[in-house]
Amino acid sequence: MKVVGAIVGIVVLFLAIVWLAQGNDFFLYKVFAPKYEQVRRETFEQSKAYNTGMIQELQNMQFEYEKTKDAKSKAALASIILHRSADYPVEKMPTDLRGFIEKLKSERASSSSKY
């Protein structure tokens, strides 16, 4: 009877240790996962690939905007360009692209003040 009790006790102790380890792991993940993700995102946004890709994408949209003659298409493209560039630091943009974005912002501000 003592042997069975000892085995049951060992199994219960083992399960308690596993449960504590899993629970602790869960709570640590809950606390630190957002911080890890924030660091990962900041690292990505500082990478050369992200910066080069964003500038290329904005320049391609600038080219499409300049090429388009239809006013509705230009307005739609301007909206997309301003949305995409909103979170990107202006100081990282080339001078011509920065001027283009500022021009779109001023045009948007002047057209919205008419109404």
Side-chain angles (χ1 to χ4, degrees):
M1 193 62 153
K2 278 187 165 183
V3 174
V4 172
I7 292 173
V8 169
I10 290 172
V11 169
V12 169
L13 181 65
F14 177 74
L15 290 175
I17 290 171
V18 169
W19 184 78
L20 282 173
Q22 285 294 94
N24 189 35
D25 187 41
F26 171 74
F27 289 114
L28 286 175
Y29 179 79
K30 185 178 175 184
V31 170
F32 291 108
K35 292 174 177 71
Y36 287 139
E37 187 59 30
Q38 182 64 29
V39 169
R40 196 175 70 79
R41 174 145 181 95
E42 288 173 5
T43 302
F44 169 70
E45 287 178 349
Q46 293 173 3
S47 71
K48 183 178 179 181
Y50 172 77
N51 289 305
T52 303
M54 180 62 80
I55 290 170
Q56 286 176 349
E57 183 179 357
L58 289 171
Q59 286 175 331
N60 287 339
M61 288 190 276
Q62 177 186 9
F63 177 74
E64 291 297 322
Y65 179 87
E66 299 294 341
K67 194 169 70 169
T68 302
K69 303 296 180 202
D70 181 36
K72 286 185 179 181
S73 297
K74 277 194 178 238
L77 276 169
S79 178
I80 293 169
I81 292 167
L82 290 174
H83 179 74
R84 289 288 296 153
S85 66
D87 291 335
Y88 193 74
V90 178
E91 57 275 358
K92 288 186 177 182
M93 293 180 193
T95 309
D96 63 325
L97 184 58
R98 187 180 312 161
F100 173 70
I101 300 289
E102 292 301 322
K103 182 184 97 170
L104 289 180
K105 287 179 183 178
S106 65
E107 287 174 0
R108 166 89 29 115
S110 67
S111 70
S112 65
S113 65
K114 289 179 184 177
Y115 299 107

